[in-house]
Amino acid sequence: MNNRLFVKGNEAVAMGAIEAGCRYYFGYPITPQNDIPEYMSREMPKVGGFFLQAESEVAAINMVLGAGAAGGRVMTSSSGPGISLKAEGMSFMAGSEVPAVIVNMQRPGPGLGGIDASQADYFQAVKGAGHGGYRLIVLAPWSVQELYDLGMLAFDLADRYRTPVMILGDAMLGQMKEALIPHSYHRPADLPEKDWVVCGKGRRNHANVVKSLMLKDGELEAHNWHLHAKYDLIKQRETRCATDNLDGAELLVTAFGCAARIARTAIDMARGEGMKVGMIRPVTVFPFPSEVYLQATARTPKVLCIELNNGQMVEDVRLSVDRQADVRFYGRPGGTGSLPTPEELLEQIRKHYKD
Amino acid sequence: MSDNVFMAGYGGQGILVIGNLLACGAILEGHNASYFPAYGPEKRGGSAMCTVIVADSEIGSPVIGRPRVALLLNQIAMDKYFSQIKPGGICLYNSSLVDHLPSQRDDLCLIAMPANEMAYEIGNPRLVNMLMLGAYAEKTGAVRLASLKAGLELILPERNKRFIPANVEALDRGAAFVRDSVAAAC
Amino acid sequence: MAVSVQPVFERPKVLKTTATHYCAGCHHGIVHRLVAEAIDHFGVQDRTIGIGSVGCSVLLYEYFDIDVVEAPHGRAPAVGTGVKRVHPDSVVFTYQGDGDLAAIGTAEIIHAANRGELMTVIFLNNTTYGMTGGQMAPTTLPGQVTTTSPYGRDVKVEGYPIRMAELIAMLGGTGFSARVAVDTPQRVLEAGKTIRKAFGMQIEKQGFAFVEVLGACPTNWGMSALEANARVSGEMMGYFPLGVYKDITVSA
């Protein structure tokens, strides 16, 4: 098999995490991501790491908070309902600047919903699931390989910016299997030292405190401006986006994650019929690649946004192009038997290409 | 080489195992492949279905609306997926558990395989899936039998590796059925 | 004649000189001191990590000169679990009130105890939510008037006060569970010994160690400091008996 492995998406993200030095995992079972805790429970002991199945998603995210505050590379994973429960902890980690990686293998909702693929948690991920106005860096892989690669990158981003990072996958990416080329993790030389962590005061002349309560005059506002500046820096430096055939395109199709995967085939079919279709695929959905949309729509002022929900990312696309382009939408909210096919998306491309 | 296949039947018939094995074998040969299961909350007894895509270019969608080939292992699968097979495609079905076709189609290559009876002949009714996959490989050439045999080592859990020789035999028998049978001559 | 002066009472080394924000007659200050004395006793300030909780004791890090993580409401035992797994040789303690530990954080405390997490939990039970202004707590006594039980706690509606020291003692991972009070000098000394024991259990890796301290909250009880102090033995101890409920280092 040369150096290619045949791997399930859920396992790929766990493999990438361990390769990147993640040594602590806390989680709670929920479909469709159970392969992640199962893999971690099997593999962590082999690398001297630690796995714990917590009593709830709430407990798990707080264990992540503790381990992250203590300086460990730590991760949890869940899906929809479990991510809602983790919202409290994510807000605390954003506020007290604790790095960690949270995987959401999305399933459709609301409520218990279903267990198939969905992208209905886009708002929850990029607008902040919890209280208080914070941001997560949100990575949106579209393949087993990217689950692995972004699974590594997430830890570097978390440590570099002292912030929780979410990997926004879905049931399709988590459950599918395809080829994966594993590679070694290389720690960036310029990652900051973690001199802020709790580990016992030791010989330090000051105690380290990891907290988000700020009651002194002006203290909280200053902290929020600090977080805001950090998010701006993240926007400048960490926006990632894949584009394809934008030059001369008559229609731009945009999608992320599993929807982009299905759209990819539909776009190829459309090109086969002679249509000039460009593709924009955000790899980070926060920060959102607004500039890419702005530039592309200056030349091609028609966009079709495709999602596995009833229209969420499309709002960010419209904000990005600020009425300079005609932004259309096609989506389905997911559920058993509700996955769109490439043929179905091709129909949509034909329709929007023409008028 | 490129192909796309639906495989469907009862949960417990080993549908997901042969889906896995086909994709794994194709990757072993140096092709790209994706395997995508449709699954329910139950582990046994429900319906099982998966889509496998084999290609030499990068694989886009792991789901498709209209497959070129369908491996249909029972009547329910036949009723649900027969009409979706692309014109000019292949329907390889388990005639032991399918008693009628939902419609008349002249645009397909239909291969009826009495896979349950054949599995009993080789002594293990659980090998229906491997018989069907062997027949598929022989008929389409999408993947070599040798690659599937090599893939068994990778995809079967440790506790089932003792069954590899029986699985290999079933793959060969399935292939032989296609080679020797008039019914598969379309 | 040379006179040698020996100090008989000092500020524990681990406490800062910061004045606390606690009300007059509140028992938190005494319990902070006892925790600080235990840390000094074992000489582990350099490797102690405190987990602050939500409640009056949230400002723990202002008073203790140690590394601290502030936990969301009720989650201190989960946060402590994460910290301890990264630094197994550290000394981790949580300091929690009754609303935090026995209401919103019930799942976290039960499961941390049941896993036998090597941490020390100091639980201050003053039968009310202090920081939010005197609402009903899971430990509020039957008939007790609070801002959310203005007609007195009705056990038919709100159930019974939870006896946490007894509950924790039943769990397999618990090494030590006791209830103490700090309303008299004698009991302060006893409580100090018990808290020291609970830190010692952790250091010797003897399982989860839990100390419930009955505390006074004069402000929210609407009492003077002396009246509140008297209520601890007068009303609370009848429902929450003092004692050691589990100690795996003592054979039965």
Side-chain angles (χ1 to χ4, degrees):
Chain A
M1 194 177 306
N2 35 67
N3 59 341
R4 297 192 309 163
L5 305 177
F6 178 53
V7 177
K8 198 176 202 177
N10 280 333
E11 295 199 342
V13 74
M15 288 168 69
I18 289 180
E19 176 60 30
C22 173
R23 289 295 177 271
Y24 305 92
Y25 176 93
F26 303 93
Y28 187 86
I30 183 171
T31 305
Q33 60 83 57
N34 294 316
D35 311 280
I36 301 177
E38 286 167 4
Y39 183 88
M40 288 300 196
S41 68
R42 198 167 65 237
E43 298 302 321
M44 275 298 190
K46 297 180 188 168
V47 295
F50 182 79
F51 165 88
L52 182 66
Q53 180 171 324
E55 61 269 28
S56 67
E57 280 99 344
V58 178
I61 193 71
N62 282 287
M63 291 168 185
V64 168
L65 193 169
R73 278 199 156 178
V74 57
M75 171 176 150
T76 187
S77 61
S78 192
S79 184
I83 297 293
S84 294
L85 289 174
K86 291 182 195 292
E88 171 195 64
M90 291 191 286
S91 169
F92 273 72
M93 286 194 287
S96 51
E97 299 187 89
V98 173
V101 174
I102 300 120
V103 177
N104 181 4
M105 289 296 177
Q106 295 171 90
R107 53 190 266 177
L112 213 42
I115 55 173
D116 301 86
S118 167
Q119 297 182 317
D121 298 348
Y122 177 91
F123 282 153
Q124 185 198 43
V126 306
K127 310 294 180 186
H131 60 279
Y134 65 90
R135 298 291 200 165
L136 301 173
I137 295 176
V138 184
L139 308 175
W142 82 330
S143 65
V144 169
Q145 184 71 48
E146 258 191 14
L147 278 163
Y148 180 84
D149 295 343
L150 297 180
M152 281 192 202
L153 175 69
F155 287 91
D156 290 342
L157 294 175
D159 282 350
R160 183 179 301 284
Y161 298 101
R162 277 191 65 179
T163 191
V165 174
M166 178 173 279
I167 296 172
L168 190 62
D170 59 75
M172 185 176 109
L173 291 171
Q175 296 294 327
M176 68 182 277
K177 289 173 83 170
E178 58 186 344
L180 167 69
I181 301 173
H183 51 86
S184 300
Y185 168 73
H186 296 290
R187 186 189 161 86
D190 60 342
L191 275 190
E193 279 303 306
K194 292 187 177 181
D195 56 0
W196 52 271
V197 303
V198 299
C199 53
K201 212 181 131 192
R203 290 164 184 277
R204 244 186 287 125
N205 58 13
H206 65 278
N208 281 343
V209 175
V210 177
K211 69 180 182 81
S212 58
L213 183 68
M214 316 256 166
L215 293 176
K216 296 188 183 101
D217 260 3
E219 187 188 10
L220 182 57
E221 183 178 0
H223 179 63
N224 269 310
W225 284 120
H226 156 71
L227 293 179
H228 184 81
K230 178 165 89 175
Y231 300 143
D232 275 347
L233 190 64
I234 289 169
K235 285 181 195 171
Q236 282 169 33
R237 288 194 192 158
E238 306 298 349
T239 304
R240 289 165 166 79
C241 184
T243 60
D244 175 35
N245 280 319
L246 299 187
D247 287 342
E250 297 282 322
L251 174 70
L252 301 172
V253 171
T254 187
F256 74 98
C258 66
R261 224 21 221 276
I262 303 170
R264 167 81 270 166
T265 296
I267 290 166
D268 287 342
M269 292 161 119
R271 287 179 187 154
E273 296 179 7
M275 289 182 259
K276 290 175 182 155
V277 181
M279 182 174 186
I280 301 177
R281 176 176 71 89
V283 176
T284 54
V285 284
F286 183 87
F288 194 71
S290 299
E291 196 59 35
V292 175
Y293 289 96
L294 200 58
Q295 286 177 14
T297 52
R299 287 167 288 155
T300 309
K302 188 157 72 176
V303 183
L304 173 61
C305 181
I306 296 170
E307 301 178 62
L308 251 76
N309 58 46
N310 287 346
Q312 298 191 18
M313 184 178 86
V314 66
E315 293 189 7
D316 284 335
V317 176
R318 288 192 174 121
L319 281 173
S320 301
V321 304
D322 195 21
R323 301 186 191 191
Q324 140 180 308
D326 178 5
V327 179
R328 324 274 184 88
F329 174 76
Y330 182 75
R332 289 173 68 178
T336 305
S338 300
L339 204 54
T341 61
E343 292 89 340
E344 178 182 340
L345 298 187
L346 174 62
E347 276 300 305
Q348 293 297 319
I349 292 172
R350 283 189 192 126
K351 180 176 135 193
H352 293 286
Y353 192 86
K354 265 184 267 168
D355 58 30
Chain B
M1 185 63 223
S2 78
D3 206 0
N4 49 72
V5 193
F6 276 5
M7 302 179 180
Y10 292 122
Q13 274 187 312
I15 300 291
L16 305 188
V17 174
I18 55 171
N20 256 290
L21 185 55
L22 172 56
C24 184
I27 287 172
L28 281 172
E29 270 177 34
H31 306 299
N32 287 322
S34 70
Y35 155 83
F36 177 58
Y39 51 92
E42 68 281 283
K43 280 227 164 193
R44 294 279 182 275
S47 292
M49 187 270 178
C50 68
T51 306
V52 177
I53 296 177
V54 178
D56 286 324
S57 56
E58 193 185 340
I59 291 176
S61 176
V63 297
I64 38 171
R66 308 208 68 180
R68 193 186 79 88
V69 183
L71 271 55
L72 304 175
L73 272 66
N74 65 9
Q75 187 68 48
I76 297 168
M78 173 59 84
D79 292 344
K80 190 162 179 188
Y81 299 111
F82 184 67
S83 64
Q84 295 182 27
I85 304 166
K86 248 189 199 158
I90 300 168
C91 177
L92 173 61
Y93 67 97
N94 177 11
S95 55
S96 309
L97 297 179
V98 171
D99 54 27
H100 67 276
L101 303 185
S103 63
Q104 171 76 28
R105 282 191 70 172
D106 302 325
D107 57 351
L108 296 180
C109 169
L110 287 167
I111 305 174
M113 185 169 172
N116 281 49
E117 283 82 352
M118 291 172 67
Y120 275 110
E121 274 171 31
I122 55 174
N124 187 340
R126 295 181 63 186
L127 292 171
V128 167
N129 59 344
M130 291 294 161
L131 286 160
M132 301 282 296
L133 184 62
Y136 164 82
E138 180 68 26
K139 180 69 192 171
T140 64
V143 62
R144 292 192 291 271
L145 278 176
S147 307
L148 297 177
K149 292 172 186 172
L152 283 169
E153 194 66 50
L154 296 171
I155 65 132
L156 288 186
E158 210 50 50
R159 64 177 188 279
N160 287 345
K161 290 205 172 150
R162 61 203 159 100
F163 298 122
I164 287 179
N167 280 283
V168 165
E169 188 192 348
L171 287 168
D172 285 335
R173 290 279 191 117
F177 173 84
V178 166
R179 271 197 308 276
D180 303 341
S181 163
V182 183
C186 54
Chain C
M1 195 175 81
V3 179
S4 96
V5 179
Q6 299 251 321
V8 293
F9 192 74
E10 286 182 299
R11 177 174 55 82
K13 191 161 72 78
V14 75
L15 279 188
K16 297 183 193 172
T17 53
T18 319
T20 73
H21 69 297
Y22 296 120
C23 306
C26 170
H27 285 172
H28 268 305
I30 299 170
V31 181
H32 279 18
R33 181 185 176 89
L34 298 178
V35 169
E37 285 176 355
I39 295 168
D40 279 1
H41 172 82
F42 291 107
V44 292
Q45 178 182 11
D46 61 339
R47 60 188 175 104
T48 295
I49 300 168
I51 314 297
S53 66
V54 174
C56 285
S57 62
V58 68
L59 298 178
L60 196 74
Y61 51 83
E62 297 282 3
Y63 312 132
F64 284 82
D65 185 21
I66 54 169
D67 284 4
V68 171
V69 187
E70 181 186 86
H73 199 18
R75 320 296 176 218
V79 173
T81 298
V83 168
K84 189 79 184 193
R85 299 300 174 162
V86 177
H87 301 299
D89 294 325
S90 62
V91 176
V92 171
F93 75 93
T94 75
Y95 189 110
Q96 304 174 256
D98 39 53
D100 189 85
L101 181 139
I104 196 168
T106 316
E108 285 78 7
I109 191 67
I110 294 283
H111 286 276
N114 197 49
R115 287 192 300 268
E117 293 294 340
L118 293 173
M119 62 172 74
T120 302
V121 171
I122 307 299
F123 167 45
L124 196 124
N125 171 6
N126 59 14
T127 73
T128 190
Y129 281 72
M131 189 172 71
T132 48
Q135 292 80 16
M136 190 186 73
T139 49
T140 292
L141 293 177
Q144 185 179 335
V145 171
T146 71
T147 60
T148 51
S149 56
Y151 309 109
R153 179 177 190 155
D154 179 353
V155 296
K156 290 198 194 71
V157 177
E158 286 120 1
Y160 293 85
I162 298 180
R163 295 184 177 98
M164 288 306 296
E166 290 88 332
L167 193 58
I168 295 295
M170 293 173 64
L171 301 170
T174 302
F176 184 78
S177 180
R179 182 181 292 116
V180 298
V182 291
D183 59 328
T184 69
Q186 180 61 35
R187 291 203 185 103
V188 170
L189 291 174
E190 284 296 321
K193 275 188 215 157
T194 306
I195 288 172
R196 195 186 310 153
K197 165 95 183 172
F199 274 87
M201 296 286 288
Q202 176 181 178
I203 291 163
E204 288 153 27
K205 304 197 188 306
Q206 296 279 349
F208 182 83
F210 184 87
V211 181
E212 175 173 344
V213 186
L214 300 183
C217 182
T219 301
N220 287 305
W221 293 353
M223 293 176 178
S224 72
L226 287 177
E227 285 167 347
N229 201 61
R231 180 180 181 250
V232 173
S233 61
E235 293 180 29
M236 291 172 72
M237 282 183 201
Y239 198 91
F240 297 113
L242 304 188
V244 175
Y245 291 93
K246 186 174 189 182
D247 181 353
I248 60 165
T249 63
V250 176
S251 50

